[in-house]
Amino acid sequence: MRTTLIAVLTALLTAPLSPAPLSPAPLLPAPLLPAPLLPAPLLPVPASAQQSPEAGAGTADKPVPEHLLRQRIDWTPCAEPDLAGLECGAYRAPRDWTTPKDARTITIAVSRLRNDGATRSVLTNPGGPGGQGRFTPLMLQSRQRLVDSAELIGFDVRGTGASTNLTCGNLDWELVADPRDRSRPNVKRLYDAAELQAQACQTLSGDLHRVVNTEQTARDLDLLRHLLGRDRIDWVGYSSGSWLGAHYTALFPRRVGRFVLDSNPDLTATFQTMFHDYFAQAFQRRFDVDYLPWIAKHHDTYGLGRTPEEVRRVYEAVRAKLAEAPLPLPNGTTLDTIAFDRAMFRTQYRKLLFPLVTPDLADLARLLGVVSSSKAQQPNPPAPDALTELHALTELTRRYPDAETATLFAVACNDTPFHGNRKTLARDAERTGTRYPFFGYHQLLAPCAFWPRPELTLPKPTGEGAPPILMVQSERDPATPIEGAQKSHKALKNSRMLTVQDEGDHGMYAVANNPCVDQAVESYLVDGTTPPQDLTCPGMPLPAPADLGEAVMLPFLPIGSPL
């Protein structure tokens, strides 16, 4: 078996399924020390920033202490190698915006791609929910027109990254059992672990977990707008960054500039619906319509079947073999069905991962005796540059190995209600898993069934009072399917949708190498030209087996985020 099975597939297996690092860890939680708060010096705020944060439409005013309004971000070159070229800083925000008497504060870590002549700030977010976002300006730095027109701002949302952290004690409940095994003992084990996950997240994070949600983060961002000295901010948000951006427009419509919502969740749905029902259906579609036919088309390279159904049978046979006996790997880890599912799940996010991961699937099929080694040619090895970038991604997630998991659960479980219990969870898993076996048995948010949710009612984004918003959406996006995006488009008044046809990648602008998309977005984002009506762009073709160049380098965010 090729050494890339260790270097590529194992890296995908152990990298987070979401921005939350769901990495191998013991079932019993091991407490982590909270990340240190970064100082935000109290310096006079520039005259251009005297406009204080506004109260959101239909919401009560949230007064901000004067000393927080007058702080100034001390920008210095970022110390982390993977943030080279950016400046970093931090500021303090109220720990709980809804309780003015609570004088405690948290730290929000920020970054910027500096532009001294810029009069606009474009805030960026990679999704998650809960993804570290200080690196996102680097994703956009190749878009020269954008870089010349504005300063690009990244940030780690409250709870994660270099901001004040949450923790779940490194617990990963999904590692305990194969969700396709619906035997009574296995199902009990799964939901026991989900309940323990909820308890660990809330116990080890103290009361901070109750104030990590989209409304609190949106208010953090409006304070950031004030500290940047802007009357309005512009926005590029991917995946659940679209959710966050849309809710900012609901709270602060008069502070909205040019907002790009790329890869859109359903603003009318709950996180439960999005992570369970939508995921099951949309990932199955991507797998069936794009991935299986692509492998069959390249049978001469991979030897996994000449038709999609032949490939499916090989895929299921590989998984069944791993269910019978997990495969020990030379690096000391073990490849089981849970790790296998995660790697293949992540592969669906971007077409350029197809040629990076499929050679390892072929190696597995031969190693486990599912196909004969004589049927396939030796696949081309991944390019060293791609492996280097993949290593950089895994190092980024290891630096803060648990906070993203905790923030993911806090936001998803706090923002919207979660309905059900063990019995209904089991029923729903069997229903969706039977119909959509690729990932339908996985219930990423099962811990929310055991999560005491604080009283929280998010304002519904309607677009009312805000300028027109540009939405970007691919037709077969597996994580934020177009059906939900279309509902959001209908809900957001005066929004425009750019639909990328015959395309299944998650994350389009500046990361999909689609000139039509990039030009259309920058006409709006840079030039300020609102399309008179909805737009379409053609998708990019699926890669050839040897197309490995920037498969991992570009899209940190879509690979690692469920939303």
Side-chain angles (χ1 to χ4, degrees):
M1 183 167 48
R2 302 187 347 272
T3 57
T4 54
L5 178 61
I6 309 305
V8 180
L9 183 57
T10 304
L12 281 171
L13 301 175
T14 56
L17 176 62
S18 67
L22 303 175
S23 56
L27 177 59
L28 296 178
L32 296 179
L33 293 176
L37 299 184
L38 303 179
L42 295 180
L43 298 175
V45 71
S48 61
Q50 291 301 316
Q51 176 63 54
S52 62
E54 75 164 314
T59 67
D61 188 21
K62 310 293 183 185
V64 185
E66 184 65 22
H67 70 279
L68 295 183
L69 290 175
R70 294 188 62 80
Q71 65 185 309
R72 186 172 181 176
I73 299 172
D74 183 17
W75 296 105
T76 59
C78 297
E80 298 91 334
D82 46 17
L83 298 178
L86 300 180
E87 293 182 329
C88 285
Y91 67 99
R92 287 178 289 163
R95 182 183 180 94
D96 183 0
W97 283 92
T98 66
T99 309
K101 293 182 179 180
D102 187 346
R104 293 176 295 175
T105 61
I106 62 170
T107 296
I108 306 297
V110 292
S111 69
R112 73 174 178 183
L113 188 60
R114 185 169 179 171
N115 182 336
D116 289 332
T119 58
R120 299 166 47 233
S121 296
V122 179
L123 273 63
T124 63
N125 183 267
Q132 303 171 45
R134 287 186 302 155
F135 72 89
T136 48
L138 296 176
M139 292 172 45
L140 304 176
Q141 67 178 342
S142 64
R143 303 307 309 166
Q144 196 60 49
R145 291 189 65 223
L146 176 63
V147 171
D148 290 343
S149 71
E151 65 174 357
L152 306 185
I153 304 294
F155 56 93
D156 292 343
V157 297
R158 58 168 58 207
T160 196
S163 296
T164 301
N165 273 192
L166 294 175
T167 181
C168 295
N170 277 346
L171 179 65
D172 181 357
W173 73 278
E174 276 210 308
L175 292 178
V176 304
D178 183 349
R180 285 207 201 180
D181 179 354
R182 306 312 296 177
S183 65
R184 181 172 297 181
N186 198 63
V187 169
K188 181 180 186 302
R189 189 180 184 206
L190 277 169
Y191 298 134
D192 283 349
E195 183 172 9
L196 179 60
Q197 181 83 55
Q199 293 172 351
C201 294
Q202 299 192 31
T203 301
L204 298 175
S205 293
D207 66 349
L208 180 62
H209 70 87
R210 297 181 62 83
V211 293
V212 173
N213 59 58
T214 293
E215 179 180 351
Q216 297 274 353
T217 296
R219 295 188 181 281
D220 295 341
L221 296 182
D222 200 54
L223 176 57
L224 175 58
R225 173 201 60 76
H226 165 76
L227 298 178
L228 292 172
R230 306 301 188 196
D231 289 333
R232 296 173 182 261
I233 54 170
D234 297 338
W235 183 263
V236 176
Y238 298 87
S239 199
S240 67
S242 295
W243 174 273
L244 176 57
H247 281 86
Y248 182 92
T249 71
L251 285 163
F252 306 104
R254 290 181 295 167
R255 301 301 177 203
V256 173
R258 304 164 191 171
F259 268 48
V260 177
L261 310 183
D262 190 318
S263 304
N264 295 264
D266 184 351
L267 297 171
T268 70
T270 65
F271 272 105
Q272 181 179 12
T273 296
M274 290 185 283
F275 270 64
H276 291 183
D277 295 340
Y278 280 0
F279 263 33
Q281 181 178 1
F283 273 94
Q284 189 73 50
R285 176 169 58 196
R286 170 70 153 169
F287 185 68
D288 291 345
V289 176
D290 288 337
Y291 189 52
L292 294 180
W294 180 84
I295 295 176
K297 178 180 178 181
H298 299 292
H299 174 74
D300 289 345
T301 298
Y302 301 121
L304 296 178
R306 296 188 181 278
T307 68
E309 284 307 310
E310 288 179 1
V311 177
R312 188 194 310 275
R313 286 194 292 270
V314 169
Y315 176 89
E316 290 295 337
V318 168
R319 194 187 187 284
K321 291 278 189 179
L322 293 174
E324 293 173 4
L327 178 67
L329 298 176
N331 67 349
T333 62
T334 300
L335 177 60
D336 60 11
T337 54
I338 302 167
F340 179 74
D341 284 354
R342 288 185 173 185
M344 302 315 299
F345 168 89
R346 289 161 56 80
T347 300
Q348 307 312 307
Y349 276 84
R350 303 208 63 79
K351 66 174 73 71
L352 287 177
L353 287 173
F354 291 5
L356 191 69
V357 175
T358 307
D360 298 301
L361 175 61
D363 279 347
L364 277 173
R366 290 192 293 272
L367 180 68
L368 297 174
V370 174
V371 299
S372 170
S373 59
S374 63
K375 290 185 177 180
Q377 300 174 359
Q378 182 74 5
N380 294 317
D385 288 348
L387 293 175
T388 300
E389 295 297 337
L390 181 57
H391 176 70
L393 171 60
T394 56
E395 286 303 306
L396 181 68
T397 59
R398 286 176 188 144
R399 183 176 306 139
Y400 305 106
D402 179 59
E404 289 184 327
T405 299
T407 305
L408 168 73
F409 285 125
V411 173
C413 298
N414 288 339
D415 268 13
T416 60
F418 191 98
H419 302 289
N421 51 37
R422 290 170 180 252
K423 182 178 180 179
T424 57
L425 281 171
R427 180 199 65 200
D428 292 346
E430 292 174 10
R431 171 179 57 85
T432 56
T434 300
R435 295 183 64 186
Y436 311 114
F438 175 68
F439 208 71
Y441 289 101
H442 290 261
Q443 295 173 304
L444 303 182
L445 295 187
C448 294
F450 310 98
W451 191 282
R453 181 173 176 263
E455 293 185 10
L456 173 65
T457 302
L458 290 175
K460 293 192 178 297
T462 63
E464 192 71 36
I469 293 167
L470 179 63
M471 304 171 65
V472 184
Q473 185 68 38
S474 73
E475 283 189 327
R476 290 192 297 279
D477 187 323
T480 52
I482 193 168
E483 293 85 354
Q486 289 169 339
K487 292 180 181 179
S488 296
H489 179 31
K490 185 176 181 180
L492 289 172
K493 183 179 180 180
N494 294 326
S495 62
R496 308 289 191 269
M497 180 179 279
L498 168 58
T499 301
V500 188
Q501 298 175 326
D502 195 23
E503 176 63 74
D505 277 10
H506 180 65
M508 288 284 106
Y509 172 59
V511 296
N513 296 319
N514 188 314
C516 177
V517 170
D518 293 343
Q519 292 170 15
V521 169
E522 287 171 8
S523 179
Y524 167 83
L525 184 60
V526 177
D527 301 329
T529 303
T530 300
Q533 58 192 11
D534 289 348
L535 307 171
T536 60
C537 279
M540 302 301 289
L542 293 174
D547 289 347
L548 300 169
E550 295 183 342
V552 178
M553 187 167 122
L554 286 175
F556 281 173
L557 81 120
I559 299 174
S561 71
L563 279 180

